């Protein structure tokens, strides 16, 4: 399905199409999972199925780096898995392929505790939602798995 873009947002990363086995960003086709925000690179996301998604992979998608810490630093760290509030996107959209596959609370919890909303939906819905939020100027990041021929019905 082709998506139309607003000319004013053409300098921003936009999902321009999607279909069986591909996601198109800025008219460049990808056949693997990708993650990106409105600005910057479109990066390959090393996930083939929703069941492979971990806290670490969500942090990677959100652009949060893993920092090596003192092993006892957790005693003084704020709740939220060591992610400071206000760092990273406002919301992380996760497209799990042709069907919505919910993620465990233990996987999304550290991001939620840090004030990063995590919304999980099928890839087509995530792509459309990303384009809307990005056009509104929201701090949004999306991680999309190809549909691999799965239908959302």
């Amino acid at each position: 399905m082709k998506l139309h873009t607003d000319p004013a947002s053409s300098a921003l990363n936009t999902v321009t199409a999607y279909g069986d086995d591909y996601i198109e960003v800025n008219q460049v086709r990808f056949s693997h999972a990708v993650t990106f925000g409105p600005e910057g690179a479109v990066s390959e996301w090393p996930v083939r199925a929703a069941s492979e998604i971990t806290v670490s992979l969500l942090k990677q998608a959100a652009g949060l780096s893993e920092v090596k810490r003192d092993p006892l630093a957790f005693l003084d760290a704020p709740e939220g898995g060591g992610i400071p509030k206000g760092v990273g996107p406002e919301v992380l959209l996760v497209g799990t392929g042709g069907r919505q596959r919910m993620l465990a609370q233990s996987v999304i919890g550290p991001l939620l505790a840090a004030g990063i909303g995590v919304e999980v939906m099928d890839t087509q819905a995530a792509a459309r939602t990303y384009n809307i939020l990005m056009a509104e100027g929201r701090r949004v990041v999306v991680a999309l798995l190809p549909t691999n021929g799965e239908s959302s019905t």
Side-chain angles (χ1 to χ4, degrees):
M1 166 180 272
K2 284 281 188 191
L3 300 177
H4 298 285
T5 61
D6 177 4
S9 64
S10 61
L12 301 175
N13 289 329
T14 305
V15 179
T16 50
Y18 51 77
D20 289 345
D21 303 329
Y22 76 93
I23 300 155
E24 188 179 282
V25 182
N26 302 333
Q27 300 180 345
V28 176
R29 191 175 280 216
F30 298 92
S31 59
H32 52 74
V34 293
T35 183
F36 55 93
E39 299 176 316
V42 176
S43 302
E44 182 171 353
W45 198 40
V47 177
R48 292 184 311 260
S51 60
E52 297 176 358
I53 298 173
T54 63
V55 174
S56 180
L57 288 168
L58 287 181
K59 286 180 180 179
Q60 176 190 353
L64 304 172
S65 58
E66 295 284 334
V67 177
K68 298 271 184 198
R69 294 180 174 220
D70 173 355
L72 298 177
F74 73 93
L75 295 171
D76 297 322
E79 203 172 315
I83 304 170
K85 287 194 182 278
V87 174
E90 181 181 341
V91 64
L92 170 63
L93 301 172
V94 181
T96 57
R99 296 183 184 269
Q100 180 183 30
R101 308 264 197 259
M102 299 309 293
L103 301 178
Q105 181 63 31
S106 60
V107 173
I108 63 173
L111 278 81
L112 295 174
I116 300 171
V118 179
E119 297 293 334
V120 181
M121 54 195 79
D122 67 67
T123 291
Q124 294 177 359
R128 292 187 306 265
T129 303
Y130 166 80
N131 281 350
I132 292 167
L133 294 177
M134 177 270 306
E136 292 176 351
R138 304 275 297 272
R139 287 187 350 255
V140 60
V141 171
V142 67
L144 301 172
L145 280 74
T147 61
N148 294 323
E150 289 180 308
S151 169
S152 60
T153 57

